[in-house]
Amino acid sequence: MSSCCSGSCGSQSSPPDNRYRRVLWVALFINILMFGVELVSSMKAGSVSLLADSMDFLGDAGNYAVSLFVLGMATIWRSRAAYAKGVVMGVFGVLVLARALWIGLGSHVPAAETMGIISLIAFAANGVVALLLYAFRDGDANMRSVWLCTRNDMIANLAVLLAAIGVFGTKAGWPDIAVASVMAFLGLSAARDIIGRARSELATITVPVR
């Protein structure tokens, strides 16, 4: 997850036009829906890689929400929104690692079939979003970063699918834990970058005294 994928490129962009705004609304809905689907499925399947992948949907939903709701607001509100998003992503990343450690200490084997099916659904969902954003791929930095990050998320979905295949083939949980750990560390790195940039922005903002 690059810094642009984390939403740090959005604050320097102009507000999206109406057509792009409609696409962002659709993308926001799909990402919130898939976050819920993967979160519930990860619990039922006992898969930490699905849980980690849901973090990507949560992060992307945050990006779209920021673009839609606070991009036209004052810088201080954009920075505060980014800071809050970074904290949420960081907490979620720690939870993913904690669950990976907990499961890793046991002999639990996640449901490979559920992992495979949900990862394919997630891949299709990101594919729909990528197609919707394709027309804006050559726009400003924020537009292009949003499209690229959606495309990269499809790679993460394939990683979960590979984990499912690994679990099915080895009858062990380590492929799921390995993929989840990598994705969680990437999420934590993105969260750290978001919080750091937000704090730097907030430090330079002077709030008028009334």
Side-chain angles (χ1 to χ4, degrees), residues 9 25 29 45 51 62 66 79 81 91 94 101-102 109 112 118 126 128-129 138 144 157 168 170 180 182 194 203:
C9 296
W25 271 111
F29 174 79
L51 182 63
V66 167
S79 299
V91 170
V94 171
L101 177 62
W102 176 262
V109 178
I118 298 300
N126 274 319
V128 170
V129 175
D138 294 323
R144 182 161 180 79
N157 302 146
F168 183 81
T170 63
V182 171
I194 295 171

Side-chain angles (χ1 to χ4, degrees), residues 122-153:
F123 182 83
N126 274 319
V128 170
V129 175
L131 285 175
L132 291 173
L133 294 169
Y134 185 76
F136 306 96
R137 69 192 186 284
D138 294 323
D140 60 24
N142 185 56
M143 288 180 176
R144 182 161 180 79
S145 71
V146 168
W147 181 75
L148 287 174
C149 292
T150 301
R151 186 192 66 180
N152 292 344
D153 287 344

Side-chain angles (χ1 to χ4, degrees), residues 15 27 31-32 62 72 90 102 105 125 129 136 145 169 182-183 187 199 201 207:
N31 276 268
I32 290 177
W102 176 262
L105 292 175
V129 175
F136 306 96
S145 71
V182 171
M183 295 174 69
R199 291 181 65 179
E201 291 175 0
V207 179

